[in-house]
Amino acid sequence: MSHSSVREASHAGSWYEADGRHLDQQLSTWLAEAANSSNTKLKARAIIAPHAGYTYSGPTAAFAYKNIDPTDVDRVFLLGPSHHYSLDHCALSNHAQYETPLYNIQIDTKITNDLHRAGLFSVMNQQQDSDEHSLEMHLPYIAKVFEKKRKDFQLIPILVGSLDSSKLEKYGQLLAPYLCDPKNLFVISSDFCHWGRRFSYQPHNPADGEIWQHIEKLDHQGMELIEKMNLADFHKYLRATDNTICGRYPISLLLATMEQAKRVVSANQVPKFHMQFVKYAQSSRVKKSNDSSVSYASAVLTVASQCTYHNPTLEYKLNR
């Protein structure tokens, strides 16, 4: 793979501020408000956060991003769903940098090439990379959180397609060493329930109250299963409810990666992952069948143990 070009910030000026100064002020305000609402700060190894327009989801995303300590992080793995073209595997970017209104983020071309050599990834063409917002909407937040070490970290963008159980296992095995390395951070891009005619999804159980209350209950059922880090039960929930969680596959891949990390270490060194949702919101409170809404949720994954990850060529150590 050759990496030379810069991916332009194609959604700047529409989905979020194109002016770097205004964008910086907006992000700073949301991060400060999130920090002030809770004195607890977790040390995130991974986060789940939304990717809608910032006026809708920006404040919710801040609750995840405020828990990132960039001090010892060298790489950010960014996993987002494919909205614009059919994909049954994962795809990488061949750009050298991703543009943001704050500054350009460097792509880790070595890791990207290493992943590509595994034979499981395709490469996005320029149009596919440019069209996809699930990755781009996280770039300003990543740039803001890492602004003091902008030259000392790199990004690995991964577009995640519709993965069956076999593929989830294979990608999980491949990514587990990176998740076990405390120098890496994983950012998982997902919105939650998309409710309304335009989404062809309008369930409502009157016993739950108004429509928005049913949506909230539905989302929290899924969130609780993600917190339990049980991939099989999360998939059962998705099949039973058809909840329109657009990042179901990136979330599933994170859960699969954690499962693989636990399988390859000795019994007394199994990593103790802890997943916690820290914020939930809806774009509007649906009360009528012709209304619509999208839900947003932010979660933080921490690692509270010490373990050693072994594979044939690499050894990664957790010190948490």
Side-chain angles (χ1 to χ4, degrees):
M1 289 175 64
S2 61
H3 304 263
S4 57
S5 56
V6 177
R7 180 201 182 276
E8 294 183 356
S10 56
H11 293 74
S14 53
W15 290 55
Y16 59 93
E17 286 277 357
D19 182 280
R21 185 172 60 87
H22 291 158
L23 179 61
D24 183 79
Q25 291 174 345
Q26 194 175 50
L27 296 172
S28 296
T29 298
W30 287 331
L31 288 166
E33 289 173 348
N36 291 336
S37 71
S38 172
N39 292 326
T40 303
K41 182 163 185 178
L42 307 169
K43 190 172 179 64
R45 181 65 58 82
I47 64 169
I48 300 171
H51 55 236
Y54 274 11
T55 55
Y56 296 103
S57 70
T60 300
F63 281 80
Y65 277 97
K66 84 178 186 72
N67 291 289
I68 295 172
D69 180 358
T71 307
D72 298 321
V73 175
D74 293 339
R75 301 176 208 89
V76 178
F77 286 76
L78 174 57
L79 280 60
S82 178
H83 286 88
H84 298 283
Y85 76 107
S86 180
L87 192 66
D88 65 358
H89 55 278
C90 292
L92 301 165
S93 174
N94 66 354
H95 290 296
Q97 296 179 5
Y98 270 15
E99 178 189 40
T100 83
L102 303 181
Y103 59 87
N104 289 2
I105 299 175
Q106 189 71 33
I107 303 298
D108 190 324
T109 56
K110 179 185 182 303
I111 297 297
T112 300
N113 286 335
D114 288 346
L115 292 174
H116 189 249
R117 279 194 292 270
L120 299 174
F121 296 85
S122 64
V123 179
M124 289 180 277
N125 64 39
Q126 186 171 343
Q127 190 64 50
Q128 290 165 344
D129 208 337
S130 177
D131 286 347
E132 186 53 62
H133 65 274
S134 74
L135 301 175
E136 181 179 339
M137 296 307 293
H138 285 275
L139 302 178
Y141 258 117
I142 292 170
K144 176 61 181 173
V145 170
F146 283 83
E147 62 185 346
K148 292 184 179 178
K149 55 180 302 183
R150 62 180 66 186
K151 295 181 180 179
D152 298 318
F153 86 98
Q154 294 181 306
L155 183 75
I156 300 97
I158 300 176
L159 195 63
V160 181
S162 303
L163 307 181
D164 60 24
S165 297
S166 174
K167 288 178 181 176
L168 283 170
E169 182 176 353
K170 290 177 182 177
Y171 284 109
Q173 289 172 348
L174 191 63
L175 294 177
Y178 298 107
L179 182 64
C180 279
D181 187 342
K183 291 188 178 297
N184 297 326
L185 170 77
F186 277 65
V187 174
I188 310 301
S189 176
S190 181
D191 295 334
F192 274 68
C193 182
H194 300 60
W195 197 99
R197 283 200 189 104
R198 64 194 180 106
F199 303 117
S200 300
Y201 190 71
Q202 293 180 287
H204 177 218
N205 183 350
D208 295 332
E210 297 197 68
I211 297 172
W212 70 268
Q213 292 171 307
H214 174 75
I215 296 170
E216 184 173 22
K217 181 178 179 180
L218 184 67
D219 278 331
H220 277 81
Q221 288 173 349
M223 291 158 62
E224 288 169 9
L225 294 173
I226 294 168
E227 286 183 330
K228 291 177 181 177
M229 297 171 287
N230 189 313
L231 179 58
D233 284 351
F234 181 54
H235 282 176
K236 288 178 184 176
Y237 157 84
L238 291 171
R239 288 194 297 269
T241 66
D242 287 325
N243 193 2
T244 46
I245 300 172
C246 60
R248 62 176 62 192
Y249 291 109
I251 292 171
S252 295
L253 182 50
L254 176 64
L255 298 179
T257 302
M258 285 189 278
E259 285 186 356
Q260 293 303 316
K262 291 176 181 179
R263 289 177 182 173
V264 294
V265 297
S266 59
N268 64 340
Q269 293 182 321
V270 174
K272 294 178 181 176
F273 295 114
H274 177 73
M275 180 81 78
Q276 178 181 344
F277 277 88
V278 292
K279 186 65 175 177
Y280 175 80
Q282 296 174 354
S283 61
S284 63
R285 289 189 165 185
V286 174
K287 298 181 179 180
K288 298 178 294 183
S289 62
N290 59 347
D291 290 340
S292 66
S293 76
V294 179
S295 305
Y296 313 117
S298 286
V300 178
L301 176 73
T302 57
V303 185
S305 67
Q306 178 173 328
C307 80
T308 304
Y309 184 105
H310 294 281
N311 77 7
T313 57
L314 298 170
E315 184 179 275
Y316 293 86
K317 292 187 176 179
L318 281 167
N319 296 297
R320 289 291 179 270

